[in-house]
Amino acid sequence: MRILLAPMEGVIDHTMREMLTGLGGIDRCVTEFLRVSGQLLPPRVFHRICPELQQGGVTRHGTPVFLQLLGGEPQVLAENAARGAELGAPGIDLNFGCPAKTVNRSDGGAILLREPGRVHAITAAVRRALPAATPLTVKVRLGFDDRSTFTEVISAISDAGASEIVIHARTRRDGYRPPAYWGEIERARACTELPLVANGEIWSPDDAVRCREASGSSDLMLGRGALCRPDLPRLVRSVDRGDPLAPMAWSDVRPLLRHFFELTLQGYDARYAGNPLKQWLVYLRSYYPQGAVLFESIKRLHDPAAIRAHLDGADRQGIAA
């Protein structure tokens, strides 16, 4: 069993990757998408979205970080993929799953699922440009408006030489609304022998078990669930091993908040360093009620010292243990 951390635009950046991989259970991360359009990007752009390139393409805890590219032009994507590999990316990932309207209007993400031929052309061009030893993974949904092209897309990716396919078990039209249709992933097995990774609506170890049974996939990608429950990857893994762990209590999460805030201060302008913390609390409060209390206390604060004081106060007071 492998557990991958999903790329989430504007949410899971290098600071969140570092913190979550430090808790254990994650085998691989994928960056937020690097939008490619019309030109070969300079190295600084790659380093900005993936600072891990400067330390061997892994987090400080040794977890590989694949570089995700998004766009609709095969040759330009291929050139940028080759540059990413040259800069040390341990793998390249192609985004054919993003449902955002702005992305789709710019010829990127899930809109390409309407054209399996273009999906094949992009994947094949990138595969040819990469060293043979560099994995090429692809992220898709079940389709754009419906699932009519799903198996054709899977075949196109497989025939183009990809190494692995991650399937978010919803269409673009479904967005992020429950449920995820895990059983649809099984249909892909008739079209490819590539490893398939199941993604979508995995919020608990029980969800992980049901997803694996329905999809036939042993490997999972976790996104929002890992933000709401930062120990979810290791909980899922412990259940798989037959030795379930106790979930983290809020008292275990509080020190992580302070650690995460200090990490963001290292990489963000001090005036905005509190924003990722507040964003994370929005996710945490769906599982930990105490997160809602802390969020309300800091949501209008911008000064790092004031935010730090509230975090320290929460630690002393146990808000609420």
Side-chain angles (χ1 to χ4, degrees):
M1 177 189 196
R2 294 177 303 148
I3 298 176
L4 282 54
L5 182 63
M8 293 179 62
E9 174 69 10
V11 181
I12 299 183
D13 64 356
H14 66 283
T15 54
M16 184 61 77
R17 292 193 293 269
E18 178 176 334
M19 197 201 62
L20 290 179
T21 57
L23 297 176
I26 297 172
D27 295 293
R28 188 171 82 218
C29 301
V30 184
T31 68
E32 303 163 274
F33 65 73
L34 178 58
R35 189 191 297 267
V36 174
S37 178
Q39 62 179 327
L40 178 60
L41 297 169
R44 69 175 183 277
V45 176
F46 292 83
H47 288 127
R48 183 168 62 241
I49 201 163
C50 188
E52 294 95 341
L53 291 173
Q54 300 178 61
Q55 53 195 37
V58 300
T59 70
R60 292 184 185 176
H61 306 286
T63 307
V65 182
F66 281 22
L67 177 70
Q68 186 178 84
L69 304 179
L70 177 146
E73 302 173 47
Q75 188 55 38
V76 179
L77 279 164
E79 292 170 1
N80 281 277
R83 171 156 288 179
E86 290 168 3
L87 292 172
I92 299 296
D93 185 75
L94 293 175
N95 182 325
F96 296 127
C98 180
K101 291 181 180 179
T102 53
V103 170
N104 295 166
R105 284 197 295 264
S106 300
D107 197 34
I111 198 166
L112 292 164
L113 299 177
R114 301 191 303 185
E115 302 179 73
R118 291 188 66 202
V119 169
H120 178 276
I122 291 168
T123 307
V126 172
R127 178 67 273 172
R128 287 192 299 269
L130 290 175
T134 301
L136 172 61
T137 61
V138 180
K139 178 87 180 291
V140 302
R141 284 178 172 250
L142 298 178
F144 191 73
D145 291 320
D146 56 41
R147 306 171 197 172
S148 60
T149 63
F150 176 55
T151 55
E152 193 176 351
V153 165
I154 296 299
S155 294
I157 294 168
S158 184
D159 293 345
S163 309
E164 178 179 280
I165 306 174
V166 178
I167 303 173
H168 184 137
R170 286 181 274 227
T171 65
R172 186 266 183 189
R173 175 171 285 181
D174 294 330
Y176 294 97
R177 295 186 302 275
Y181 302 95
W182 299 322
E184 290 293 298
I185 296 173
E186 184 66 34
R187 293 173 54 207
R189 299 192 181 282
C191 313
T192 184
E193 295 182 356
L194 293 180
L196 302 179
V197 181
N199 174 228
E201 290 299 306
I202 303 171
W203 302 97
S204 69
D206 285 346
D207 289 339
V209 170
R210 292 190 296 109
C211 176
R212 294 177 74 193
E213 290 174 348
S215 68
S217 296
S218 61
D219 302 327
L220 304 174
M221 176 174 276
L222 306 179
R224 291 174 298 161
L227 291 171
C228 297
R229 302 180 64 177
D231 61 339
L232 182 58
R234 71 185 189 193
L235 290 176
V236 170
R237 190 174 298 284
S238 72
V239 169
D240 181 63
R241 290 173 175 167
D243 186 22
L245 296 173
M248 291 176 69
W250 178 247
S251 57
D252 301 313
V253 174
R254 290 198 312 265
L256 297 180
L257 294 168
R258 177 62 184 267
H259 176 57
F260 180 62
F261 182 59
E262 298 303 331
L263 284 176
T264 58
L265 278 172
Q266 296 174 21
Y268 287 80
D269 186 300
R271 293 169 297 175
Y272 307 110
N275 292 347
L277 175 67
K278 297 170 191 176
Q279 183 171 242
W280 188 28
L281 282 168
V282 169
Y283 284 96
L284 286 170
R285 67 185 182 183
S286 68
Y287 185 75
Y288 297 98
Q290 304 93 331
V293 177
L294 184 55
F295 174 76
E296 289 298 321
S297 74
I298 70 167
K299 68 180 182 181
R300 293 184 175 85
L301 300 180
H302 301 284
D303 178 59
I307 294 173
R308 190 180 286 116
H310 275 260
L311 292 174
D312 290 344
D315 250 4
R316 289 192 298 269
Q317 300 164 24
I319 293 188

